[in-house]
Amino acid sequence: MQDHAASVAATGSGTELLGSAVTHVVRDTGASVAMVYLLPKNDTTLHLAVLSGVPGQLAAPWTRVPLSAPIPVADAVRLRCLIWLGNQEELARRYPRPALVLPYRFAMAAAPIRTGAVDRGGLVLLWPGSHPPQLAPEEREAVVKGCHGIGMLLQQAESSGYPVRPGTQPWVLPPPKPPTPGPAEATVIAEFVRRLPGGSCALSIDGRVVFINDAAAALLGTRAEDVRGTLPWESLPWLDNPAVEDHYRAAVIGRQQTSFNVLRPPDRWLSFHLFPTATGISVRIVPTSRPGPQDIPAPSLPSASAAPSRATALYHLMHLAASLTEAVGTQDVIGLAGDQLMSAFRIQTLVVMTSAEGRLRIEGRRGTHPALMDRFDGAPLTSPTPAARVLTTGIPDFYATFSELERAYPSAGLRNAVAACAFLPLIVSGRPVGSLVLAYDRPHPFEPDERTLLTSIAGLLAQALDRARLYDAKDRLSHSLQAHLLPHGLPVISGLDVAARYLPSTRGMGIGGDFYDLIRLDDTTAAAAIGDVQGHNENAAALMGQVRTAVHASAGAQPDEVLARTNRLLTDLDPGLFTSCLYIHLDLARHSVCLATAGHPAPLLRQPDGQTDVLPLPPGLLLGIDPASRYPTAEVPLPPGAALALYTDGLVEAPGVDFDDAAAELAAHFALALDQDMESVADTLVRYAKRATPGTDDIALLLINALLTDG
């Protein structure tokens, strides 16, 4: 198996190695759609690597999923559990964003792919809407077994030196081949189709016409050879209606029979009946004279543009709008726009520019030519550039070919990077605040419908950027305040190797109250503290500063007395906020440590041989509740080579995860880093936290290692 893994993975990303495993999972579970996501090492984003059962364009909005995203597969990987959604109602209740974009009948399971303690990705399976609302035990077992098998393949490929890596696009498995009829059977089938009233045609899973008889072509008003191999809504302009393609999506994703009527200009109504299977869709077309309220009129502005169909555009526009409501900072907005727009609208490069002090400024970029607009970064808004013109006038510019751009701006200098481009104003409350630059590697005609759509997208992006910039400004101010309240560096203490980390949350929760401190008392003693003030605002940060000052002022006393004094101060202040705190006194001469806790998570103690445990400390009440609270102490040995990990709950706490289990897993990661210095260990634990509890809370971490020798 390892030799096979090496030979396959060496030829490319190695995702081909997973094809057979995915096929077996689909067969064993009875699922109609399968998606395998990979989580590269030290990454916090899931990448869609293998897709089965639907065409790639339907999965385009989900090719990259941050672990912090409110998406089933992200929760399954982060929480390390199987998530089951038995119907559309449950999906809408728990995950409104994907439910908005996929309003079809299906059941879904998402499960993590792991080997040992290593998170490798996730598996998503979809069943037709006719599936019972509960996952059968044998189906659950097949899902778990499939995840285990895929995980083992990934582990074997990695151990062979050729790890499987996701490609730039997912590998789409071909649908199963239908049985090939013999000559006699083929004749009977052809005669059977000929006898049926109306017309018959067949679509592949990706919607292209693979068979059409003369009767169907006549009803559609075309020739069979003109539509064979095409998407009907692209080759027949009167079918370019979002509702038509929406019925196709419902058939492919939900595997449900569906039907609808469409007006073929000028006055002929046709009834379409879709019958989907894993190999494609059979379509019956019959004339009808009974238009009703659910019927689909002909579009008023048909076009044969190279742009995506109106249904595809609407699909991605809706997904973008839903996603932008959850974006926090400016880079989040630009990243989401790049991920979802570029593949959907066949854009090669996306650049967002804003104005700062009368000059152009690049806020972010994505795509094949990231340096596209570098020469204009910092250019005055009065400069003769298309980005500056669009920003100052608020009028979009579209250039179908480079020659058009060169005629308008001879000094643009973009010949090697662009064959067509669009410059769109980012307008907020009637005021242009930036420019969205979209570049194409080939000439691209911009039809009126596409121009309108791209302008609308720019409007959505502008509003999201405006909110994000306000958040970024507040976030910088808040965390600057917090940074000034935390120690700028740790003291050098002979005999100790120490490291600290503070990470603000990434979910827009604002400033936090996490703090830590390390205090040198004399040549052989030191003190350390870590705590967390309730809340995520300026009041919490201000109180955190007062708590840290109080602890620092009392340092040197016994831990119970330090916490008692700090507690009395807080109850006198009556801030209305409670604080957890852990204080330790290190005696380096006696190789021991004395601890007391005020409702704070117990630290980890790693012995020189690597044995790591959560210290069992006697509990103490949170600071600021009862002025008479007492804080029992505990004393434990700290032999040379032993290490302590002090942390706030943001390092381990996540929705749906047992706190004790999470602390035990953190201890396991601490144990595995036995041979690393404390700076490296801190990075290891932070990476673990960013994957296990991404962005859920602030994180403070203080590591203390008693060296085997002084120095």
Side-chain angles (χ1 to χ4, degrees):
M1 176 61 74
Q2 290 187 3
D3 291 341
H4 178 63
S7 64
V8 174
T11 63
S13 69
T15 50
E16 300 89 348
L17 179 67
L18 306 178
S20 178
V22 173
T23 300
H24 279 86
V25 170
V26 170
R27 183 197 62 197
D28 294 345
T29 61
S32 53
V33 176
M35 307 167 75
V36 174
Y37 285 87
L38 298 183
L39 183 63
K41 189 176 182 180
N42 299 329
D43 201 345
T44 57
T45 297
L46 293 163
H47 300 256
L48 181 58
V50 182
L51 178 65
S52 171
V54 294
Q57 65 265 28
L58 291 190
W62 323 101
T63 54
R64 287 165 46 91
V65 177
L67 280 176
S68 57
I71 303 295
V73 67
D75 280 357
V77 174
R78 191 176 68 251
L79 303 179
R80 301 187 176 108
C81 66
L82 188 149
I83 291 176
W84 169 253
L85 301 164
N87 51 50
Q88 183 67 18
E89 291 76 12
E90 189 174 4
L91 178 67
R93 177 173 57 82
R94 296 174 58 184
Y95 299 97
R97 191 216 291 182
L100 178 66
V101 183
L102 298 171
Y104 312 117
R105 293 185 61 225
F106 60 86
M108 172 190 289
I113 298 173
R114 307 184 74 214
T115 53
V118 180
D119 296 316
R120 298 195 177 274
L123 172 67
V124 177
L125 297 172
L126 271 60
W127 285 263
S130 56
H131 189 282
Q134 301 300 323
L135 187 65
E138 58 271 19
E139 291 173 325
R140 179 180 293 270
E141 182 180 354
V143 173
V144 173
K145 182 179 178 182
C147 289
H148 176 74
I150 294 172
M152 292 304 297
L153 284 173
L154 295 172
Q155 184 183 50
Q156 291 166 357
E158 183 177 311
S159 65
S160 71
Y162 298 97
V164 177
R165 296 186 177 90
T168 55
Q169 296 294 326
W171 179 37
V172 181
L173 298 182
K177 293 183 178 180
T180 302
E185 186 181 9
T187 302
V188 173
I189 292 173
E191 187 60 27
F192 168 78
V193 171
R194 192 176 297 113
R195 285 194 295 261
L196 289 174
S200 300
C201 73
L203 307 180
S204 61
I205 284 294
D206 66 1
R208 297 188 179 277
V209 178
V210 294
F211 166 80
I212 182 170
N213 66 2
D214 292 339
L219 287 170
L220 296 175
T222 186
R223 298 182 305 170
E225 57 267 28
D226 292 338
V227 294
R228 194 176 293 117
T230 71
L231 296 171
W233 41 86
E234 291 184 357
S235 56
L236 300 170
W238 55 274
L239 283 179
D240 183 15
N241 188 295
V244 172
E245 196 174 343
D246 192 60
H247 280 281
Y248 154 74
R249 294 179 190 276
V252 172
I253 295 174
R255 292 290 197 270
Q256 296 293 298
Q257 297 180 14
T258 182
S259 62
F260 55 92
N261 295 346
V262 179
L263 176 64
R264 194 196 98 189
D267 55 6
R268 188 167 194 184
W269 285 91
L270 299 176
S271 182
F272 292 76
H273 302 264
L274 279 60
F275 303 90
T277 68
T279 59
I281 302 174
S282 297
V283 183
R284 290 289 297 146
I285 308 171
V286 295
T288 182
S289 58
R290 297 196 309 138
Q294 301 301 317
D295 294 333
I296 303 169
S300 56
L301 290 172
S303 69
S305 170
S309 68
R310 291 196 292 168
T312 298
L314 183 62
Y315 174 70
H316 291 288
L317 182 61
M318 185 178 296
H319 189 275
L320 177 64
S323 300
L324 288 177
T325 62
E326 297 164 355
V328 178
T330 300
Q331 294 307 312
D332 288 342
V333 171
I334 296 171
L336 281 169
D339 288 345
Q340 296 179 30
L341 293 180
M342 293 177 65
S343 59
F345 294 90
R346 304 160 194 171
I347 299 164
Q348 279 68 56
T349 303
L350 177 148
V351 181
V352 174
M353 306 190 77
T354 59
S355 62
E357 300 178 349
R359 294 182 178 274
L360 290 171
R361 173 187 172 188
I362 294 179
E363 289 282 355
R365 63 192 100 195
R366 298 293 294 272
T368 56
H369 300 289
L372 176 68
M373 301 297 291
D374 275 357
R375 64 173 297 180
F376 302 129
D377 192 19
L381 295 183
T382 55
S383 61
T385 65
R389 177 183 180 277
V390 166
L391 193 153
T392 54
T393 65
I395 301 173
D397 278 340
F398 298 91
Y399 301 96
T401 63
F402 176 77
S403 60
E404 292 183 13
L405 175 63
E406 192 173 37
R407 283 195 298 270
Y409 297 94
S411 61
L414 301 175
R415 177 180 295 277
N416 295 327
V418 59
C421 56
F423 295 85
L424 303 160
L426 300 174
I427 299 176
V428 178
S429 301
R431 177 175 54 90
V433 296
S435 303
L436 173 63
V437 185
L438 307 177
Y440 303 77
D441 287 349
R442 297 179 179 180
H444 186 92
F446 294 96
E447 299 294 337
D449 279 355
E450 187 181 11
R451 295 185 181 212
T452 301
L453 180 64
L454 292 177
T455 303
S456 299
I457 288 172
L460 284 176
L461 187 60
Q463 295 174 21
L465 278 173
D466 193 48
R467 294 192 301 269
R469 293 175 76 182
L470 289 174
Y471 167 80
D472 286 342
K474 180 180 178 181
D475 186 63
R476 284 193 298 270
L477 177 62
S478 297
H479 289 295
S480 175
L481 169 63
Q482 186 157 31
H484 283 84
L485 293 172
L486 292 170
H488 294 288
L490 297 177
V492 177
I493 300 175
S494 179
L496 295 180
D497 179 18
V498 297
R501 295 289 186 273
Y502 169 74
L503 276 77
S505 67
T506 58
R507 296 292 294 275
M509 299 176 71
I511 191 169
D514 290 12
F515 67 93
Y516 63 87
D517 215 342
L518 179 67
I519 307 161
R520 183 183 183 278
L521 299 175
D522 58 36
D523 290 343
T524 60
T525 60
I530 194 164
D532 184 1
V533 178
Q534 174 191 19
H536 293 83
N537 53 36
E538 289 78 3
N539 293 334
L543 183 60
M544 176 265 283
Q546 292 173 312
V547 172
R548 180 170 172 255
T549 300
V551 170
H552 209 283
S554 303
Q558 289 300 305
D560 57 337
E561 183 60 26
V562 172
L563 292 182
R565 292 177 187 176
T566 306
N567 178 57
R568 288 194 293 271
L569 171 65
L570 289 190
T571 52
D572 288 343
L573 292 174
D574 191 22
L577 299 174
F578 305 134
T579 302
S580 71
C581 185
L582 171 71
Y583 179 87
I584 69 174
H585 181 90
L586 294 129
D587 190 328
L588 304 180
R590 296 177 57 241
H591 301 293
S592 69
V593 59
C594 190
L595 313 89
T597 181
H600 196 82
L604 307 177
L605 175 60
R606 188 181 70 190
Q607 301 293 346
D609 63 359
Q611 174 64 38
T612 304
D613 299 293
V614 179
L615 283 178
L617 297 183
L621 196 63
L622 290 168
L623 302 176
I625 297 178
D626 181 0
S629 292
R630 295 182 179 275
Y631 299 95
T633 60
E635 186 168 0
V636 297
L638 188 69
L644 287 165
L646 286 62
Y647 55 92
T648 54
D649 56 10
L651 196 68
V652 292
E653 196 169 55
V657 178
D658 181 81
F659 188 92
D660 292 338
D661 291 344
E665 183 152 356
L666 180 67
H669 282 80
F670 193 30
L672 290 172
L674 179 64
D675 297 329
Q676 300 178 18
D677 61 72
M678 288 298 102
E679 290 290 339
S680 300
V681 176
D683 291 337
T684 296
L685 297 185
V686 165
R687 283 196 298 269
Y688 155 74
K690 289 173 70 175
R691 292 174 65 161
T693 62
T696 56
D697 201 354
D698 293 352
I699 291 173
L701 173 68
L702 179 60
L703 302 178
I704 302 171
N705 181 32
L707 297 174
L708 293 171
T709 59
D710 289 348

